[in-house]
Amino acid sequence: MTATSDLGTAQLASPDLLRSVFRRHAAGVAVITARGESGPVGFTATSLSSVSAEPPLLSFGIGTGASSWPAISATDHVGVHILGEHQQELAATFARSGADRFGSPTAWREGPEGVPVLDGVPAWMVCRIVGRVPAGDHRIVVAEVVLGDPAGPGRPLVYHQGRFNGLRD
């Protein structure tokens, strides 16, 4: 049996504890997009998860205070984009509050159901929202994949210890 850290250093549950623990959890990086009333919206997400293969479902979390939440709460469809290690700046742009996320140099086009589809990503999907589950100050959005393309360029981008990184061989 391998020893873990001393239980005497354990902390009571708190937002800071949760953030500190999840900084040690490497996660894939995605950008979620939607058509909003006044134009396209989007945000960087590391909470993307496969839920079911039959039917093809995925989930992601979004804070109810996020600038994209009003559009995500009202729309029927979203775009889900898996970012490549060559897209660290794109991930940072979509994570930055107040950024012009769809201005230059972001390359995108209007896709099916009016969903903004980002160019140059390793994979993308258009999904129909089937549920929004309350979860504290967030909502967990469950969506069914309608169509997508897994044939784009690049290796995946990951987020770890507060930074975007590529995979090491």
Side-chain angles (χ1 to χ4, degrees):
M1 185 167 156
T2 305
T4 60
S5 63
D6 181 3
L7 291 177
T9 62
Q11 301 173 28
L12 291 176
S14 71
D16 287 339
L17 173 63
L18 185 68
R19 282 190 282 273
S20 294
V21 168
F22 272 89
R23 284 178 71 86
R24 294 181 171 265
H25 173 69
V29 181
V31 167
I32 310 298
T33 61
R35 179 177 53 189
E37 277 189 24
S38 59
V41 301
F43 64 97
T44 300
T46 56
S47 61
L48 182 65
S49 182
S50 172
V51 173
S52 168
E54 198 55 50
L57 297 173
L58 58 81
S59 69
F60 60 87
I62 179 172
T64 56
S67 61
S68 296
W69 172 242
I72 299 295
S73 71
T75 192
D76 292 331
H77 291 83
V78 292
V80 177
H81 308 83
I82 307 301
L83 297 192
E85 63 187 2
H86 62 287
Q87 296 177 307
Q88 291 184 23
E89 187 54 40
L90 183 67
T93 297
F94 276 83
R96 197 169 25 255
S97 180
D100 181 5
R101 296 172 178 159
F102 290 91
S104 182
T106 301
W108 65 281
R109 64 196 179 283
E110 185 174 310
E113 304 296 336
V115 171
V117 175
L118 301 176
D119 293 340
V121 295
W124 62 268
M125 297 170 283
V126 170
C127 304
R128 182 179 58 83
I129 294 178
V130 297
R132 295 173 186 88
V133 181
D137 62 356
H138 277 61
R139 294 296 180 268
I140 298 169
V141 177
V142 179
E144 184 173 10
V145 178
V146 175
L147 72 136
D149 183 356
R155 293 165 37 111
L157 182 63
V158 296
Y159 188 73
H160 181 252
Q161 293 287 59
R163 294 189 317 233
F164 297 114
N165 298 286
L167 293 175
R168 292 187 189 151
D169 288 330

